[in-house]
Amino acid sequence: MTHGTEQGDDGRPGLAVRLLGPVRAQLDLREVPLGPPLQRALFTVLAVRHDQVVGTTELIDAVWGEDLPGNPEGGVHTYVAGLRRALEPGRTRRSPGRHLLSHPSGYRLTLPAEASDLARFEKLRDEGRRAWRAGRAEAAEQLLDRALALFDGTALGGVPGPFAQSQRSWLGEQRIAVAEDRIDVLLARGRYGDAIAAARPLTDGQPLRERPWAQLMTALYRDGRQSEALAAYDRARAAAVEALGLDPGPLLAGLRQRIVVADPALLADRPRQPDAAAARVNLPRDTDHFVGRGREVARVLAAAGSGVCAIDGMAGVGKTTLAVHAAGLLAPRYPDVRLHLDLHGHAQGRAPVPAAAALEKLLLAVGVPGDRIPAAADDRAGLWRAQLAGRRALLVLDDAVDAGQVRPLLPGSPSSLVLITSRRRLSGLDAGESLSLDVLPYGDAVALLAAVAGDGRVAAERDAAGEVVRACGLLPLAVQIAAARLRHRRAWSVAHLRDRLAGEDRRLDELTAQDRSVAVAFSLSYRSLDGPRRQMFRLLGLFPGPRIGLPAAAALAGVDQRRADTLLQDLVDVQLLEEPRPGRYRLHDLLAVYAARECARTEDEQGRQAALARLLDFYLATVDGAEEVLRPQRLDRAQVPADAPRERFADRAAALAWLDEERGAFAPLIAAAARAGRHRHAWQLARCLWGFFESRGHWAEWITTHELGLPSARLLGDKLAEARLLVGLGVAEHFLRRYDEAVGHYRSALALMRETGFRSGEAGVLTNLGNTFRRMGRLAECIECQEQALEISRAAGDQAGEGIVLANLGELYRDAGLLQQSVAAQEQALAMFRKWGERRLEGSVLDGLARAHLAMGALDQALAHGGEALECRRGCGDRSGEAETLDCLGSVHLRAGRRDAAADCWRRALAIAEDLDAPTAADIRRRLAGI
């Protein structure tokens, strides 16, 4: 990897990547360790999409697909942090990145085209093909040779994940296509021996591809080896019969006949496609802007031997485009009949075509006179099958309403292929291949935008183009409409189009161009539903989060879970809803906008408010229950109706798993509650997330949710609620080391606690304020706060508060060098926490004891307490505490002379701290560097 590297600012080689083999990276000509397999998978996505912002959701889908871990966003952060350490070893936490950049919606790997072997391959391939078309055969051969030489085994070798798998397939196809192009050049230059040598590996490795067989037969014939050319046809036929039960298509059959009769023109011609003018053909014209879909096209092409391929997907996802494109590629295999029939399953102003009427159209298309077509549908089906018997026919049955509509149209001949498109999953159809089509990958969506727009604006405004395709939800129909508007409005910039699509209230109106409209496409699916399913769909438009679970959807709709499951599954079947994981559902972004609009148009204000209230009651009751498991000694409870539906949790692990799953919904739910005037829900939902955010170390989200809930508490005039949220803000700011902000929040909360007369709350604020003063080095003020808190807690009989103060005093005594007093205070606190089963606080005190014994030089006791602390913190899901204790154990091991063990602890602590974006990461990094 010594060629095509990026030059740094100082003139030295920079970052270079190899993708056309085992994935590798070099930085300044030195190999970069890319880390564990899933981290390599994430790097691969960024490298393939270099200089494009790849969204976090796209990275999750690309690395894990449907097999998601509990916290995929955290996994992305962890792997990005690992890559930054490898790619930018000297970068500090707050300094800007050079190679791997963060954006509000994701990440971008900056890499010049010449630093990527994939980009160089694509450039050489395109230049070689242009040279070939221009008649410059020698230059074409050299360029194509250079392109193929860049491969070093299988592309993206050893990289897991669905993105790598699909790209590996696509790149393998590209490699073969370029090799075939090169053979054509060799034939044209009269280098038949070289052409034979190049074609044989292709026919051996891809025996069902007809082009390399035709090239091999042509080269052998022109080299004077007629019998070997015919033997090559026999081998191709044997492979096709064994795999597909079919003879080779017209390309090879026609070439064989020309070889048999020694056609003189064959010595000068390249293999030709057969004349299909006599075939019954009415396939639509393929689009000029077909982009991507390599994996899907390969699956449709592979279905040629199975007889039936059903393609389903939501409105506008490109089902017909894929079917027509694949039909064009398959056309040479089906010379007799190639027909397209629109079944109008979801057509505006038209009923679906009955099977009998569809059979009449098909029979007329293959030349059966109208007076010979029977009246009965069964008789028509029998005649249709007889007409296709022994014929190679390709049918595209477009926009089927259900399996019953298409079943009578299927030919009985194994030599035919039927491609069916439908918005409904045709589970009742015995299809050889079923393909559910998803939206486009980000890069392909941008490429489609550029192709349809037709000028350089998209390339010149890459970031704005990315925001446009995201506003379109990566839906091909929406991207095409947006691009068409851009194409016909030369005065518009891409940024102007982005701004027009920014507001959800007008986005669907903007995605309309003459007779094409995203909203109309959606409405045809929506209006095919009955009343209960329509209502479930539009109520889902009220849900503000990214994914909704079955229990929450049931609460939203006001039905039991069994009924909700039936309704949701039916919406999945008609492609109005996705189910990425069992029991978890999501609306496509544009469908969510459409559902919300239909909800506002159809449901009255009272109905919408009632549905939102049911949803918020469910979440508040469930989050409150989870908080009860995580913090059983808390002093406040949420106010929810006793009969509100809720999830229940057996233990901390179950509560944290649910909270992790729902994490992305909390801030949107609080904001939605505040907008709807449901201020009690807003502030209490924020408050009840304390234990979750503290356990997981989600400090930024803690601040966001509390800032969203705080205005609601103030609007209610609830000073105690306001105080509690201010305390939460102070805790989060403290952990982020923004101590001045924390002190400000605590002092405001303290005044409110005293004003309301809530003594236990006052003690809690004093405790936290004292901790912050300790971190600021203001020990006198710290001691004063802790002593006041201890006095108030004992007077109020608040043993939980007393235990926390004792633990804090133990930390303070350690700072002051009073190590015996530190141990005594913390052991008292430990006894209290163990009595109450407060595992999280127990882990914190054990960590404090380990540090006290470390300061005393009692390393065995420090190690024992640290091990217990680590077990507690892992057991209760306290990731921030786990990193803290690993950091402590690293210091214990270093003091004992065990440098490798210390480094191991610090590396594990650093991985967690970086994943949480915790300020402690910088401290741990310095300790590691000092070993």
Side-chain angles (χ1 to χ4, degrees):
M1 199 162 38
T2 59
H3 55 288
T5 53
E6 171 196 357
Q7 294 295 311
D9 294 337
D10 54 4
R12 293 185 304 144
L15 179 63
V17 300
R18 290 293 301 266
L19 303 169
L20 302 181
V23 173
R24 297 168 54 201
Q26 279 190 346
L27 185 62
D28 299 333
L29 301 181
R30 303 174 71 175
E31 196 79 16
V32 175
L34 294 176
L38 291 180
Q39 185 167 300
R40 297 175 72 86
L42 187 141
F43 174 80
T44 298
V45 182
L46 296 171
V48 171
R49 305 281 192 224
H50 67 87
D51 282 332
Q52 299 175 10
V53 177
V54 183
T56 301
T57 301
E58 296 168 56
L59 289 170
I60 291 170
D61 290 342
V63 174
W64 288 283
E66 296 184 358
D67 189 20
L68 294 177
N71 180 17
E73 292 85 358
V76 169
H77 296 327
T78 297
Y79 295 141
V80 167
L83 290 173
R84 280 184 169 145
R85 290 194 298 273
L87 299 175
E88 299 168 349
R91 175 181 175 266
T92 63
R93 179 173 175 270
R94 299 189 180 277
S95 63
R98 176 185 173 193
H99 302 296
L100 184 50
L101 308 181
S102 296
H103 290 261
S105 58
Y107 301 93
R108 175 165 63 97
L109 185 72
T110 61
L111 191 69
E114 64 272 12
S116 163
D117 61 347
L118 172 55
R120 293 197 302 278
F121 166 77
E122 291 175 334
K123 181 180 179 183
L124 290 166
R125 174 201 63 194
D126 294 345
E127 289 177 350
R129 287 173 174 170
R130 284 194 293 270
W132 173 232
R133 288 194 295 269
R136 297 186 291 114
E138 182 178 358
E141 181 183 349
Q142 293 174 355
L143 290 163
L144 296 176
D145 277 342
R146 289 170 58 195
L148 291 170
L150 291 171
F151 279 88
D152 181 22
T154 301
L156 311 184
V159 178
F163 176 86
Q165 180 64 29
S166 65
Q167 290 293 306
R168 203 158 25 240
S169 174
W170 180 81
L171 288 170
E173 179 70 24
Q174 290 296 302
R175 183 180 188 180
I176 293 170
V178 171
E180 292 170 345
D181 291 345
R182 178 178 175 272
I183 295 170
D184 276 347
V185 176
L186 295 173
L187 287 170
R189 299 189 69 194
R191 294 171 53 191
Y192 305 130
D194 290 340
I196 293 167
R200 287 197 190 280
L202 298 185
T203 58
D204 291 343
Q206 302 285 332
L208 299 183
R209 291 180 72 96
E210 295 198 349
R211 186 183 177 194
W213 281 114
Q215 292 170 325
L216 177 60
M217 291 167 63
T218 301
L220 288 167
Y221 181 74
R222 292 182 181 178
D223 203 37
R225 299 151 69 177
Q226 182 184 33
S227 60
E228 290 183 58
L230 294 174
Y233 173 83
D234 292 338
R235 292 198 303 276
R237 180 180 181 278
V241 169
E242 181 180 359
L244 307 175
L246 300 173
D247 284 340
L251 172 66
L252 292 188
L255 179 59
R256 179 186 182 279
Q257 184 61 28
R258 295 176 72 196
I259 292 173
V260 169
V261 301
D263 182 353
L266 191 58
L267 293 175
D269 289 349
R270 281 174 287 164
R272 297 177 298 168
Q273 297 290 340
D275 183 8
R280 305 288 185 174
V281 177
N282 75 346
L283 291 179
R285 179 176 177 273
D286 196 3
T287 178
D288 293 330
H289 308 300
F290 191 86
V291 171
R293 299 294 196 201
R295 186 178 183 184
E296 292 85 351
V297 169
R299 285 184 61 183
V300 178
L301 297 183
S306 66
V308 179
C309 177
I311 305 169
D312 63 71
M314 66 181 289
V317 81
K319 303 178 293 296
T320 300
T321 301
L322 173 64
V324 170
H325 179 72
L329 297 175
L330 288 165
R333 300 193 196 182
Y334 300 94
D336 301 325
V337 176
R338 298 194 293 277
L339 297 177
H340 171 272
L341 180 60
D342 191 342
L343 296 174
H344 299 300
H346 301 85
Q348 190 171 19
R350 298 191 63 170
V353 178
L359 285 165
E360 182 179 18
K361 291 175 180 289
L362 291 170
L363 287 167
L364 290 170
V366 295
V368 177
D371 58 2
R372 286 190 52 213
I373 297 175
D378 288 347
D379 293 338
R380 289 180 176 183
L383 179 58
W384 169 240
R385 288 192 292 272
Q387 286 292 315
L388 293 190
R391 302 172 77 176
R392 294 182 180 178
L394 173 61
L395 309 179
V396 178
L397 301 179
D398 200 11
D399 193 20
V401 68
D402 56 28
Q405 186 188 27
V406 299
R407 197 176 288 113
L409 314 183
L410 302 181
S413 172
S415 61
S416 297
L417 173 64
V418 184
L419 306 180
I420 306 168
T421 73
S422 177
R423 297 188 189 184
R424 181 184 293 272
R425 291 181 178 173
L426 303 179
S427 54
L429 192 68
D430 186 17
E433 178 73 40
S434 294
L435 173 62
S436 290
L437 205 58
D438 202 351
V439 297
L440 288 170
Y442 170 82
D444 290 343
V446 173
L448 178 60
L449 185 75
V452 178
D455 59 25
R457 282 174 289 177
V458 171
E461 300 178 74
R462 294 176 70 106
D463 290 343
E467 293 178 64
V468 166
V469 299
R470 289 193 183 94
C472 293
L474 307 179
L475 185 69
L477 175 62
V479 174
Q480 287 175 322
I481 291 173
R485 299 197 70 192
L486 193 62
R487 183 186 186 96
H488 294 289
R489 287 163 174 80
R490 296 292 178 181
W492 286 13
S493 65
V494 181
H496 177 74
L497 176 61
R498 174 203 62 199
D499 295 342
R500 294 181 71 94
L501 294 171
E504 289 190 357
D505 57 338
R506 60 182 289 187
R507 186 174 302 165
L508 291 176
D509 295 330
E510 291 291 335
L511 293 174
T512 300
Q514 296 183 346
D515 61 337
R516 295 195 300 171
S517 166
V518 172
V520 170
F522 289 166
S523 71
L524 296 173
S525 293
Y526 170 69
R527 299 194 187 287
S528 70
L529 304 174
D530 63 12
R533 284 156 184 79
R534 284 191 191 184
Q535 184 177 50
M536 173 60 89
F537 171 75
R538 61 180 177 256
L539 287 178
L540 290 172
L542 293 174
F543 183 69
R547 298 182 183 182
I548 189 169
L550 173 61
L556 176 65
V559 298
D560 61 46
Q561 290 191 31
R562 186 170 183 176
R563 176 61 174 161
D565 180 64
T566 298
L567 297 174
L568 293 168
Q569 288 299 321
D570 288 348
L571 292 176
V572 170
D573 283 342
V574 298
Q575 303 292 346
L576 285 173
L577 189 65
E578 301 172 48
E579 188 180 17
R581 296 174 63 183
R584 301 289 298 176
Y585 301 91
R586 69 182 175 202
L587 286 170
H588 180 272
D589 290 349
L590 293 179
L591 276 172
V593 174
Y594 179 79
R597 192 168 78 172
E598 284 300 309
C599 189
R601 189 181 66 82
T602 305
E603 301 286 339
D604 59 24
E605 178 67 18
Q606 183 179 359
R608 295 197 301 273
Q609 285 292 333
L612 183 60
R614 291 191 300 268
L615 179 72
L616 292 171
D617 280 346
F618 166 80
Y619 270 99
L620 184 54
T622 304
V623 171
D624 183 65
E627 182 77 339
E628 183 69 20
V629 174
L630 299 180
R631 298 174 64 227
Q633 299 299 321
R634 63 190 173 131
L635 299 177
D636 55 320
R637 302 289 188 275
Q639 301 165 13
V640 289
D643 61 349
R646 68 196 72 197
E647 296 264 39
R648 301 184 187 277
F649 309 107
D651 51 32
R652 289 183 63 89
L656 286 169
W658 183 87
L659 290 162
D660 285 333
E661 189 76 64
E662 297 285 349
R663 174 182 167 191
F666 295 136
L669 280 165
I670 294 167
R675 284 195 304 271
R678 298 196 170 271
H679 298 300
R680 178 180 59 81
H681 287 97
W683 85 260
Q684 289 192 355
L685 189 52
R687 169 67 176 175
C688 289
L689 290 167
W690 180 306
F692 171 55
F693 288 144
E694 187 172 46
S695 293
R696 293 303 200 218
H698 299 319
W699 314 120
E701 290 169 64
W702 188 336
I703 291 171
T704 297
T705 53
H706 277 54
E707 288 179 341
L708 286 170
L710 190 59
S712 288
R714 287 170 174 161
L715 283 168
L716 291 171
D718 189 334
K719 293 182 178 180
L720 186 54
E722 182 182 353
R724 284 171 164 157
L725 292 180
L726 286 167
V727 172
L729 284 169
V731 171
E733 297 286 11
H734 172 95
F735 275 102
L736 289 173
R737 299 187 178 181
R738 298 200 285 251
Y739 298 128
D740 289 334
E741 290 90 337
V743 168
H745 289 313
Y746 286 145
R747 282 180 166 157
S748 297
L750 187 60
L752 290 168
M753 292 289 187
R754 286 170 174 166
E755 186 177 344
T756 58
F758 184 34
R759 296 285 282 164
S760 292
E762 180 185 349
V765 177
L766 285 166
T767 297
N768 290 338
L769 182 59
N771 285 340
T772 302
F773 281 146
R774 172 178 165 243
R775 293 292 186 186
M776 299 172 78
R778 295 158 63 173
L779 296 185
E781 292 165 283
C782 171
I783 292 171
E784 181 182 359
C785 286
Q786 299 293 358
E787 288 178 345
Q788 286 184 50
L790 185 60
E791 181 182 348
I792 294 171
S793 296
R794 285 173 172 167
D798 179 5
Q799 293 188 339
E802 181 182 350
I804 291 171
V805 175
L806 285 170
N808 289 332
L809 283 170
E811 296 286 311
L812 183 59
Y813 291 149
R814 189 185 75 235
D815 289 349
L818 303 173
L819 301 180
Q820 293 296 340
Q821 293 94 319
S822 173
V823 169
Q826 291 187 91
E827 285 180 343
Q828 290 182 63
L830 181 62
M832 291 180 175
F833 296 150
R834 282 179 168 166
K835 177 182 177 181
W836 300 326
E838 280 278 9
R839 291 281 284 170
R840 189 188 62 80
L841 294 175
E842 179 185 348
S844 178
V845 174
L846 284 165
D847 182 275
L849 282 167
R851 294 173 188 274
H853 285 295
L854 173 62
M856 296 167 68
L859 300 186
D860 289 342
Q861 290 174 283
L863 190 62
H865 283 306
E868 289 183 81
L870 192 61
E871 183 180 350
C872 277
R873 289 179 148 178
R874 284 177 174 164
C876 64
D878 183 0
R879 297 194 72 218
S880 177
E882 181 182 350
E884 188 177 64
T885 297
L886 283 167
D887 184 20
C888 172
L889 286 169
S891 298
V892 174
H893 284 302
L894 186 66
R895 179 79 66 86
R898 297 186 289 267
R899 298 169 68 87
D900 290 343
D904 179 64
C905 286
W906 281 332
R907 275 193 290 268
R908 286 186 284 156
L910 181 60
I912 297 172
E914 288 183 331
D915 185 23
L916 298 176
D917 201 22
T920 53
D923 300 333
I924 300 169
R925 203 176 289 113
R926 282 194 294 271
R927 281 191 271 279
L928 263 173
I931 291 183

